[in-house]
């Protein structure tokens, strides 16, 4: 069964600290993996996309990694800011047929305290 | 910032009422989607469209219906709302490039409460 599991479910850190969010998936065949950030009361916004051949990709203070062999991805946030408080959602796309499918994780709720 | 708009943002209605959630995008995207999101749960696809006059049901069974008469407009309708329809509804669009599921651009959501 194709699934996307994220951990931890929630995380509280102090402003300025680093953190790492995890995403494990069983989706096969694999096309790409995206991390989205969803602020409270808003729609998700794409942070980064990882394809099969990519190991690391950065977007400002956000760095995503992908290990396609172990089917794991992480999102590392450096020097956290209050505005980083949000839900971070891992989304995996398969390559099955022309329709394709998206598999969503339940998200990690990050709270950054001053 | 994505140019996709949803109205209303918040709606509280009584059981049995008919409601339409509006979604419009100005990016010229062919593909549009409706997702349902409950707290702490993953997004569930309820409807999608490849283009004008094309609509399909998603993974999650829904009593809602959609239409796609214009590229930019993808409204969702509930003929008779029930408390079980209480949820957050997110509209999204994506460009043709990148397969069926390129980057999704989401609206800000419509939070529906049925009393």
């Amino acid at each position: 069964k194709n699934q996307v599991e994220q951990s931890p479910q929630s995380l509280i850190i102090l402003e300025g600290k680093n953190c790492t969010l995890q995403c494990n998936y069983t989706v096969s065949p694999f096309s790409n993996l995206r991390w989205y950030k969803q602020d409270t009361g808003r729609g998700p916004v794409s942070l980064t996309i990882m394809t099969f051949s990519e190991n690391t990709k950065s977007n400002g203070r956000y760095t995503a990694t992908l290990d396609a062999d172990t089917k794991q991805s992480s999102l590392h946030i450096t020097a956290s800011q209050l505005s980083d408080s949000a839900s971070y959602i891992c989304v995996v796309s398969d390559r099955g047929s022309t329709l394709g499918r998206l598999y969503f994780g339940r998200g990690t709720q990050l709270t950054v305290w001053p | 910032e994505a140019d996709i708009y949803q109205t209303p943002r918040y709606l509280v209605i009584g059981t049995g009422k008919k409601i339409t959630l509006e979604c419009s995008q100005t990016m010229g995207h062919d593909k549009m989607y409706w997702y349902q999101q409950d707290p702490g749960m993953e997004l569930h696809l309820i409807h999608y469209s490849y283009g004008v006059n094309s609509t399909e049901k998603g993974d999650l069974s829904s009593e809602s219906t959609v239409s796609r008469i214009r590229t930019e407009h993808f409204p969702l309708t509930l003929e008779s709302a029930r408390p079980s329809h209480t949820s957050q509804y997110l509209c999204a669009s994506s460009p043709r490039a990148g397969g069926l599921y390129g980057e999704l651009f989401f609206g800000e959501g419509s939070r529906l409460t049925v009393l």
Side-chain angles (χ1 to χ4, degrees):
Chain A
K1 181 180 178 182
N2 290 321
Q3 287 184 311
V4 177
E5 302 281 350
Q6 292 188 244
S7 61
Q9 183 176 353
S10 62
L11 180 63
I12 299 174
I13 62 173
L14 294 177
E15 187 177 14
K17 298 297 186 182
N18 304 333
C19 68
T20 300
L21 314 180
Q22 298 289 345
C23 174
N24 296 337
Y25 62 93
T26 59
V27 177
S28 181
F30 173 84
S31 175
N32 61 69
L33 182 150
R34 287 185 185 272
W35 284 94
Y36 285 84
K37 177 188 179 188
Q38 184 176 21
D39 292 319
T40 300
R42 309 291 292 271
V45 175
S46 178
L47 290 175
T48 184
I49 178 173
M50 305 291 290
T51 57
F52 188 86
S53 59
E54 295 174 309
N55 299 118
T56 304
K57 184 175 286 186
S58 292
N59 177 5
R61 295 180 297 102
Y62 300 102
T63 299
T65 65
L66 175 67
D67 186 333
D69 292 330
T70 62
K71 297 187 176 182
Q72 296 180 324
S73 176
S74 66
L75 181 69
H76 185 75
I77 303 175
T78 304
S80 61
Q81 300 176 359
L82 298 180
S83 59
D84 292 330
S85 294
S87 178
Y88 292 83
I89 302 171
C90 177
V91 184
V92 180
S93 175
D94 70 11
R95 287 187 284 115
S97 79
T98 57
L99 295 178
R101 280 199 60 176
L102 287 182
Y103 298 86
F104 289 81
R106 295 186 175 187
T108 291
Q109 184 65 48
L110 174 66
T111 303
V112 180
W113 283 2
Chain B
E1 189 169 319
D3 297 317
I4 180 164
Y5 308 99
Q6 291 186 241
T7 58
R9 290 290 313 279
Y10 304 93
L11 181 62
V12 181
I13 60 170
T15 297
K17 298 294 185 182
K18 177 181 178 179
I19 64 112
T20 296
L21 305 180
E22 301 287 350
C23 177
S24 295
Q25 52 97 2
T26 59
M27 298 172 281
H29 289 169
D30 290 321
K31 300 159 195 164
M32 296 191 72
Y33 316 85
W34 276 103
Y35 287 91
Q36 188 171 334
Q37 184 181 33
D38 294 310
M41 301 297 290
E42 62 267 42
L43 275 70
H44 289 287
L45 180 67
I46 50 176
H47 297 284
Y48 63 97
S49 168
Y50 300 143
V52 172
N53 295 325
S54 157
T55 61
E56 301 286 344
K57 289 188 179 295
D59 306 321
L60 183 66
S61 175
S62 174
E63 294 164 351
S64 59
T65 58
V66 293
S67 62
R68 190 89 183 274
I69 299 173
R70 303 197 313 267
T71 298
E72 63 271 22
H73 196 212
F74 192 42
L76 180 145
T77 298
L78 272 168
E79 290 292 334
S80 180
R82 294 206 301 268
S84 60
H85 296 138
T86 294
S87 187
Q88 165 96 326
Y89 293 85
L90 288 167
C91 180
S93 70
S94 67
R96 181 184 297 273
L100 178 66
Y101 285 109
E103 178 181 352
L104 293 175
F105 295 85
F106 286 90
E108 297 201 328
S110 294
R111 175 156 298 280
L112 173 66
T113 301
V114 184
L115 303 177

